[in-house]
Amino acid sequence: AQSVAQPEDQVNVAEGNPLTVKCTYSVSGNPYLFWYVQYPNRGLQFLLKYITGDNLVKGSYGFEAEFNKSQTSFHLKKPSALVSDSALYFCAVREDYGGATNKLIFGTGTLLAVQP
Amino acid sequence: GAGVSQSPSNKVTEKGKDVELRCDPISGHTALYWYRQRLGQGLEFLIYFQGNSAPDKSGLPSDRFSAERTGESVSTLTIQRTQQEDSAVYLCASSPPSGMSDTQYFGPGTRLTVL
Protein backbone atom coordinates (compact mmCIF):
# COMPACT_ATOMS: atom_id res chain seq x y z
CA ALA A 1 0.00 0.00 0.00
CA GLN A 2 1.10 3.53 -0.65
CA SER A 3 2.09 5.70 2.29
CA VAL A 4 3.78 8.98 3.07
CA ALA A 5 5.57 9.94 6.26
CA GLN A 6 6.40 13.41 7.47
CA PRO A 7 8.43 12.69 10.59
CA GLU A 8 8.38 16.22 11.99
CA ASP A 9 5.18 17.78 13.28
CA GLN A 10 6.88 21.17 13.39
CA VAL A 11 10.04 22.75 12.02
CA ASN A 12 11.38 25.99 13.46
CA VAL A 13 13.87 28.10 11.53
CA ALA A 14 15.15 31.65 11.72
CA GLU A 15 14.43 34.00 8.85
CA GLY A 16 17.25 33.93 6.31
CA ASN A 17 18.36 30.43 7.23
CA PRO A 18 17.91 27.42 4.97
CA LEU A 19 14.94 25.19 5.67
CA THR A 20 14.20 21.53 5.08
CA VAL A 21 10.88 19.78 5.53
CA LYS A 22 11.24 16.02 5.38
CA CYS A 23 9.13 13.48 3.52
CA THR A 24 9.58 9.78 2.89
CA TYR A 25 7.30 7.56 0.87
CA SER A 26 6.48 3.94 0.24
CA VAL A 27 5.10 2.65 -3.05
CA SER A 28 5.56 -0.51 -5.04
CA GLY A 29 5.67 1.17 -8.43
CA ASN A 30 6.95 4.49 -9.72
CA PRO A 31 6.00 7.40 -7.48
CA TYR A 32 4.57 10.73 -8.45
CA LEU A 33 5.39 13.11 -5.59
CA PHE A 34 3.85 16.44 -4.69
CA TRP A 35 4.25 19.21 -2.15
CA TYR A 36 1.36 21.44 -1.14
CA VAL A 37 1.22 24.37 1.28
CA GLN A 38 -1.78 25.36 3.38
CA TYR A 39 -2.08 28.82 4.87
CA PRO A 40 -4.53 29.40 7.75
CA ASN A 41 -8.18 29.11 6.72
CA ARG A 42 -7.26 28.49 3.12
CA GLY A 43 -7.16 25.51 0.81
CA LEU A 44 -4.07 23.70 -0.33
CA GLN A 45 -1.81 25.40 -2.85
CA PHE A 46 0.39 23.39 -5.18
CA LEU A 47 4.13 24.01 -4.77
CA LEU A 48 5.90 21.46 -6.94
CA LYS A 49 5.87 17.90 -8.20
CA TYR A 50 8.24 15.15 -9.28
CA ILE A 51 7.14 12.94 -12.14
CA THR A 52 10.33 11.83 -13.88
CA GLY A 53 13.65 13.21 -15.00
CA ASP A 54 15.83 15.55 -12.99
CA ASN A 55 15.86 14.64 -9.31
CA LEU A 56 15.92 18.29 -8.25
CA VAL A 57 12.56 19.93 -8.82
CA LYS A 58 12.04 23.66 -8.57
CA GLY A 59 8.68 25.10 -7.63
CA SER A 60 6.80 28.15 -6.51
CA TYR A 61 8.04 30.78 -4.04
CA GLY A 62 11.68 29.66 -4.29
CA PHE A 63 11.03 26.16 -2.99
CA GLU A 64 12.71 23.06 -4.38
CA ALA A 65 12.65 19.38 -3.57
CA GLU A 66 15.07 16.55 -4.17
CA PHE A 67 13.85 13.10 -5.17
CA ASN A 68 16.08 10.37 -3.76
CA LYS A 69 15.02 6.94 -4.92
CA SER A 70 17.46 4.96 -2.79
CA GLN A 71 16.29 6.73 0.37
CA THR A 72 12.67 6.94 -0.81
CA SER A 73 12.66 10.59 0.17
CA PHE A 74 11.37 13.84 -1.30
CA HIS A 75 12.49 16.57 1.10
CA LEU A 76 11.33 20.14 0.56
CA LYS A 77 14.01 22.82 0.75
CA LYS A 78 14.51 26.56 0.48
CA PRO A 79 17.87 28.31 0.70
CA SER A 80 16.62 31.31 2.69
CA ALA A 81 13.42 31.19 4.73
CA LEU A 82 10.95 34.07 4.95
CA VAL A 83 8.50 34.76 7.78
CA SER A 84 5.76 34.55 5.15
CA ASP A 85 6.72 30.91 4.50
CA SER A 86 5.20 29.99 7.86
CA ALA A 87 2.41 27.55 7.04
CA LEU A 88 1.43 23.88 7.03
CA TYR A 89 3.20 21.78 4.42
CA PHE A 90 1.90 18.50 3.04
CA CYS A 91 3.76 15.88 1.06
CA ALA A 92 1.68 13.57 -1.13
CA VAL A 93 2.28 10.59 -3.38
CA ARG A 94 0.43 8.97 -6.21
CA GLU A 95 1.51 5.57 -7.44
CA ASP A 96 1.84 4.63 -11.07
CA TYR A 97 0.21 1.23 -10.84
CA GLY A 98 -2.01 1.47 -13.86
CA GLY A 99 -5.11 1.88 -11.80
CA ALA A 100 -7.98 4.13 -12.64
CA THR A 101 -7.91 6.34 -9.58
CA ASN A 102 -5.49 9.23 -9.33
CA LYS A 103 -6.04 9.83 -5.65
CA LEU A 104 -3.27 11.37 -3.62
CA ILE A 105 -2.02 9.87 -0.37
CA PHE A 106 -1.07 12.67 2.00
CA GLY A 107 1.30 12.88 4.91
CA THR A 108 0.09 14.30 8.20
CA GLY A 109 1.65 17.68 7.53
CA THR A 110 4.55 19.67 8.97
CA LEU A 111 4.04 23.07 10.49
CA LEU A 112 6.83 25.42 9.44
CA ALA A 113 7.44 28.34 11.78
CA VAL A 114 9.89 30.98 10.61
CA GLN A 115 11.01 33.37 13.32
CA PRO A 116 11.99 36.94 12.42
CA GLY B 1 -9.24 32.17 -14.46
CA ALA B 2 -11.45 31.02 -11.63
CA GLY B 3 -10.20 28.31 -9.35
CA VAL B 4 -12.10 25.56 -7.59
CA SER B 5 -14.91 27.00 -5.52
CA GLN B 6 -16.79 25.40 -2.65
CA SER B 7 -19.88 26.32 -0.73
CA PRO B 8 -20.73 26.93 1.98
CA SER B 9 -17.42 27.95 3.50
CA ASN B 10 -18.70 27.04 6.94
CA LYS B 11 -21.56 24.82 8.03
CA VAL B 12 -22.74 24.21 11.56
CA THR B 13 -25.36 21.52 11.98
CA GLU B 14 -26.93 19.44 14.67
CA LYS B 15 -26.21 15.77 15.09
CA GLY B 16 -28.60 13.70 13.00
CA LYS B 17 -29.24 16.32 10.34
CA ASP B 18 -28.30 15.90 6.68
CA VAL B 19 -25.86 18.29 4.99
CA GLU B 20 -24.98 18.96 1.38
CA LEU B 21 -21.64 20.42 0.31
CA ARG B 22 -21.02 21.83 -3.15
CA CYS B 23 -17.95 21.95 -5.37
CA ASP B 24 -17.48 23.82 -8.64
CA PRO B 25 -14.33 22.57 -10.38
CA ILE B 26 -12.11 24.49 -12.75
CA SER B 27 -13.72 24.65 -16.18
CA GLY B 28 -12.40 21.91 -18.45
CA HIS B 29 -11.19 19.70 -15.62
CA THR B 30 -12.70 16.27 -16.05
CA ALA B 31 -11.38 14.80 -12.79
CA LEU B 32 -12.87 15.77 -9.44
CA TYR B 33 -11.90 14.59 -5.98
CA TRP B 34 -13.28 14.95 -2.48
CA TYR B 35 -11.01 14.74 0.56
CA ARG B 36 -11.61 15.14 4.27
CA GLN B 37 -9.20 16.88 6.63
CA ARG B 38 -9.72 16.31 10.31
CA LEU B 39 -8.16 18.67 12.80
CA GLY B 40 -4.43 18.12 13.01
CA GLN B 41 -4.43 15.38 10.42
CA GLY B 42 -3.62 14.93 6.77
CA LEU B 43 -6.15 14.62 4.01
CA GLU B 44 -8.18 11.45 3.56
CA PHE B 45 -9.41 10.54 0.10
CA LEU B 46 -13.17 10.13 -0.13
CA ILE B 47 -14.29 9.82 -3.74
CA TYR B 48 -13.07 10.40 -7.30
CA PHE B 49 -14.98 11.25 -10.48
CA GLN B 50 -13.44 11.04 -13.94
CA GLY B 51 -15.63 12.02 -16.86
CA ASN B 52 -18.41 9.53 -17.45
CA SER B 53 -16.62 6.63 -15.76
CA ALA B 54 -18.03 5.04 -12.64
CA PRO B 55 -16.75 6.97 -9.61
CA ASP B 56 -14.23 5.45 -7.22
CA LYS B 57 -16.07 5.48 -3.89
CA SER B 58 -13.49 3.45 -2.01
CA GLY B 59 -12.69 6.23 0.45
CA LEU B 60 -16.21 6.94 1.67
CA PRO B 61 -16.20 6.08 5.40
CA SER B 62 -19.79 4.86 5.66
CA ASP B 63 -23.03 4.57 3.72
CA ARG B 64 -24.10 7.89 5.22
CA PHE B 65 -21.74 9.53 2.75
CA SER B 66 -22.59 9.90 -0.93
CA ALA B 67 -21.59 12.15 -3.79
CA GLU B 68 -22.86 13.02 -7.21
CA ARG B 69 -21.47 14.88 -10.14
CA THR B 70 -23.41 16.46 -12.97
CA GLY B 71 -21.50 15.74 -16.16
CA GLU B 72 -18.09 17.35 -15.85
CA SER B 73 -19.19 20.20 -13.65
CA VAL B 74 -20.67 20.63 -10.21
CA SER B 75 -20.40 17.96 -7.55
CA THR B 76 -22.28 17.61 -4.28
CA LEU B 77 -21.18 15.62 -1.27
CA THR B 78 -24.05 14.59 0.99
CA ILE B 79 -23.69 13.41 4.54
CA GLN B 80 -26.84 11.91 6.05
CA ARG B 81 -27.58 11.70 9.77
CA THR B 82 -24.42 13.60 10.66
CA GLN B 83 -22.34 12.51 13.62
CA GLN B 84 -19.85 14.53 15.64
CA GLU B 85 -16.95 12.58 14.13
CA ASP B 86 -17.97 13.99 10.74
CA SER B 87 -16.69 17.39 11.87
CA ALA B 88 -13.83 18.27 9.54
CA VAL B 89 -12.85 20.41 6.58
CA TYR B 90 -14.07 18.90 3.33
CA LEU B 91 -11.84 19.75 0.41
CA CYS B 92 -12.60 19.41 -3.26
CA ALA B 93 -9.97 19.26 -5.98
CA SER B 94 -10.02 19.05 -9.75
CA SER B 95 -7.45 18.19 -12.39
CA PRO B 96 -7.28 18.18 -16.17
CA PRO B 97 -7.84 14.98 -18.14
CA SER B 98 -4.31 14.30 -19.30
CA GLY B 99 -3.13 11.65 -16.88
CA MET B 100 -1.73 10.64 -13.55
CA SER B 101 0.97 13.27 -13.45
CA ASP B 102 -1.53 16.07 -13.41
CA THR B 103 -1.70 18.44 -10.53
CA GLN B 104 -4.82 18.55 -8.41
CA TYR B 105 -6.03 22.06 -7.66
CA PHE B 106 -7.86 22.47 -4.40
CA GLY B 107 -10.75 24.64 -3.35
CA PRO B 108 -10.82 26.55 -0.05
CA GLY B 109 -12.84 23.84 1.67
CA THR B 110 -16.04 23.66 3.68
CA ARG B 111 -15.59 23.56 7.44
CA LEU B 112 -18.31 21.31 8.87
CA THR B 113 -19.08 21.39 12.57
CA VAL B 114 -21.54 18.87 13.96
CA LEU B 115 -22.84 19.81 17.40
Side-chain angles (χ1 to χ4, degrees), chain A residues 32 34 36 38 41-46 49 51 88 90 94-109, chain B residues 31 33 35 37 40-45 48 50 56 58-59 89 91 95 99-109 111:
Chain A
Y32 296 136
F34 300 78
Y36 285 84
Q38 186 175 38
N41 300 314
R42 296 178 63 179
L44 273 69
Q45 295 182 31
F46 169 73
K49 66 182 177 183
I51 304 301
L88 189 57
F90 288 98
R94 179 191 295 151
E95 184 176 8
D96 178 14
Y97 65 99
T101 299
N102 296 339
K103 66 182 179 184
L104 291 172
I105 305 299
F106 283 85
T108 51
Chain B
Y33 312 77
Y35 293 87
Q37 184 180 21
Q41 297 185 23
L43 279 71
E44 305 169 69
F45 166 77
Y48 163 68
Q50 173 61 279
D56 178 350
S58 61
V89 176
L91 291 163
S95 69
M100 292 188 67
S101 63
D102 282 309
T103 301
Q104 293 180 21
Y105 295 91
F106 284 80
R111 182 175 299 276

Side-chain angles (χ1 to χ4, degrees), chain A:
Chain A
Q2 308 164 62
S3 66
V4 174
Q6 293 183 245
E8 302 155 316
D9 290 336
Q10 182 162 338
V11 169
N12 298 305
V13 64
E15 187 173 32
N17 283 0
L19 69 88
T20 298
V21 182
K22 295 179 180 177
C23 172
T24 58
Y25 66 91
S26 176
V27 299
S28 55
N30 295 318
Y32 296 136
L33 294 153
F34 300 78
W35 275 101
Y36 285 84
V37 60
Q38 186 175 38
Y39 296 100
N41 300 314
R42 296 178 63 179
L44 273 69
Q45 295 182 31
F46 169 73
L47 276 180
L48 52 78
K49 66 182 177 183
Y50 171 82
I51 304 301
T52 187
D54 194 348
N55 290 344
L56 185 64
V57 179
K58 294 187 182 295
S60 307
Y61 312 122
F63 283 93
E64 58 189 29
E66 185 169 10
F67 171 66
N68 187 318
K69 188 173 183 177
S70 63
Q71 297 185 4
T72 61
S73 67
F74 189 56
H75 301 330
L76 182 69
K77 300 181 180 183
K78 187 173 182 180
S80 179
L82 299 172
V83 173
S84 57
D85 292 331
S86 299
L88 189 57
Y89 290 80
F90 288 98
C91 181
V93 68
R94 179 191 295 151
E95 184 176 8
D96 178 14
Y97 65 99
T101 299
N102 296 339
K103 66 182 179 184
L104 291 172
I105 305 299
F106 283 85
T108 51
T110 298
L111 183 65
L112 174 66
V114 182
Q115 284 88 38

